[in-house]
Amino acid sequence: MKDLSGWGRYPRLSGPLGAAFDTDAAAEATARLPGLVARGFGRAYGDAAVGRDNTLDATALDRMLAFDPETGILTAEAGVSLADIISVFLPRGFFPRAVPGTRFVSVGGMIASDVHGKNQHVDGTFGDHVEWLMLALPDERVVRCSRDENADLFAATIGGMGLTGTILSAAFRLKRVETGWIRQTTRVAGNLSEAVRLLNRTDTASYTVAWIDVLARGPSLGRSLILEGEHATPEQVESDALFPTPRTGRIGVPTDMPGWMLNAWSVRAFNEVYYRTGARKADCVTIVPWDSFFFPLDGVAHWNRIYGRRGFVQHQCVIPPAKAEAVLAEVLDRISEKGVGSFLAVLKRLAPASGLMSFPMEGLTLALDMPFSEKLLPLLSEIDALVVEAGGRMYLAKDATQSAETFAAGYPHLDRFRRLRGDLGVTGRMASKLSERLGL
Ligand SMILES: Cc1cc2nc3c(=O)[nH]c(=O)nc-3n(C[C@H](O)[C@H](O)[C@H](O)COP(=O)(O)OP(=O)(O)OC[C@H]3O[C@@H](n4cnc5c(N)ncnc54)[C@H](O)[C@@H]3O)c2cc1C
């Protein structure tokens, strides 16, 4: 039995973990083992990457198979990491078209969660750039899926949380970049309305993300620092290294921090310092290396341990534009009132995505890390209810707590997804702790 908890380490889960050393073995395991899902680097926060009965470690499927520099299409096995893709292709002038906030994720995990980056409102999700994928099914078939071949299965697999089969390999597009530096502009929003206005600007940069001080209240509720970014041109870079290597010698959190260290006081102090330091850079432009812009948390190994042994929950919701500001204000108000604020609270703009179960929709998404405690659960269900009432939904790759009801209310293609799973004969065969909890 292995510890199979997600990145949030709540809920604590363990179970049998098998490893596949090549794509044939992964296909064979998918056909043989019931109640299975594949697992990448376990960066989903909750229970998505834990099989109901069996979990298949797919990280040894780590070969890059082909690359066409004309089209930027890379073909890779599902366990290849984003970190490896960037370290091989950035020095050649290519960068992935969508990246999440950590590079320690796999190709299979990025497709199954249909991950979004800071540019999703402009460039779409990772799944939008997948040309085709090979999927192993429990009936021993291995099928190629694309927008033209097995199109329904393709749409269900992108964002399908591993519940349609095991992704063995995929071909996806990278984009050309001239440098590995980002031209970053910091904007300051004194409250939520300003933050929403800045994020919704039509002339917005390619990459945008707002960090919110969750504990600010009254007229400062929702005060934020907004980071905008563009890939820098060689002329804008002062360093000799056009493609800097990522920071090495990462600092780390060696052990679980005691729970008392993270309380409303320490979070408030951290937020105050962070906001004030950032506010001094209002409208300043800096040229920063790619890793600190896209993956700031990757600089601290095991940072999830700061939340202590009980772990934490990341709650991420998206709310359609018409109600976004009002609902976000209500959510922030309730969180601030309960004093369960987090170091990490980010707001981003999203656009619709193409997977049947993809998370993004037109609107604003708020992600909040909160230390786990029993008293958090009623607060999260209140927030979930507000979100779905406003026509929004919660992100499955972050989810550990929502009910089957709020899930069903948020995902309009759920019936189609269920039918497709039934027709394929994968219901119950491809199954995770998340699918069991949500009645999938
Ligand atoms: C610090 C941090 C920041 C993040 N930022 C973002 C962000 O900005 N945007 C965003 O969208 N996400 C974000 N995430 C979430 C993360 O990108 C996703 O959870 C991603 O799926 C993790 O990839 P993984 O390889 O670790 O997959 P796992 O966590 O191991 O698995 C995630 C899901 O993918 C499925 N899966 C994995 N491999 C396969 C396969 N070969 N075949 C079929 N299914 C498979 C699993 O069954 C599971 O359902 C972040 C996570 C962290 C920890």
Side-chain angles (χ1 to χ4, degrees), residues 7 38 40-44 48-49 100-101 106 109 112-113 115-116 161-162 167 348 395:
W7 186 247
F41 290 97
R43 257 40 179 202
S106 65
S113 298
V115 299
H116 57 272
M161 304 308 293
I167 302 164
K348 283 189 273 203
Y395 188 13

Side-chain angles (χ1 to χ4, degrees), residues 5-8 26 30 36-51 55-59 61 77-82 99-118 125-126 134-136 157 159-169 209 294-298 303-304 312 314 316 344 346 348 350 359-360 367 369 395-398 430-432 434:
S5 308
W7 186 247
T30 305
L36 176 85
V37 282
R39 182 178 177 94
F41 290 97
R43 257 40 179 202
Y45 280 72
D47 48 7
V50 189
T55 305
L56 181 67
D57 180 347
T59 53
L61 309 181
E77 290 182 346
V80 168
S81 73
L82 179 60
V99 297
T102 172
R103 64 188 192 281
F104 303 119
V105 291
S106 65
V107 167
M110 288 194 289
I111 296 173
S113 298
D114 196 15
V115 299
H116 57 272
K118 299 172 175 62
T125 58
F126 191 85
M134 299 299 292
L135 189 70
T157 300
M161 304 308 293
L163 297 170
T164 56
T166 301
I167 302 164
L168 302 179
S169 58
V209 62
F294 291 108
F295 312 115
L297 292 167
D298 286 353
W303 64 261
N304 52 351
F312 70 108
Q314 181 167 108
Q316 184 169 359
L344 192 84
V346 297
K348 283 189 273 203
L350 293 181
F359 166 69
D369 284 0
Y395 188 13
L396 297 179
K398 308 292 177 75
M430 303 303 305
S432 60
L434 174 132

Side-chain angles (χ1 to χ4, degrees), residues 33 41 43 87 162 197 220 313 348 356 367 388 393 400 420 426:
L33 296 170
F41 290 97
R43 257 40 179 202
S87 64
R197 187 183 57 78
S220 306
V313 171
K348 283 189 273 203
L356 280 189
V388 295
R393 59 174 76 122
L420 193 132
V426 303

Side-chain angles (χ1 to χ4, degrees), residues 213-261:
D213 175 355
V214 218
L215 291 185
R217 302 186 73 169
S220 306
L221 183 86
R223 70 177 182 177
S224 313
L225 298 177
I226 293 160
L227 301 182
E228 298 180 348
E230 299 288 351
H231 290 280
T233 61
E235 298 71 43
Q236 292 164 341
V237 172
E238 283 176 5
S239 160
D240 288 340
L242 282 187
F243 297 103
T245 45
R247 287 157 296 171
T248 48
R250 296 197 299 153
I251 50 168
V253 180
T255 183
D256 287 326
M257 303 275 262
W260 55 263
M261 284 190 68

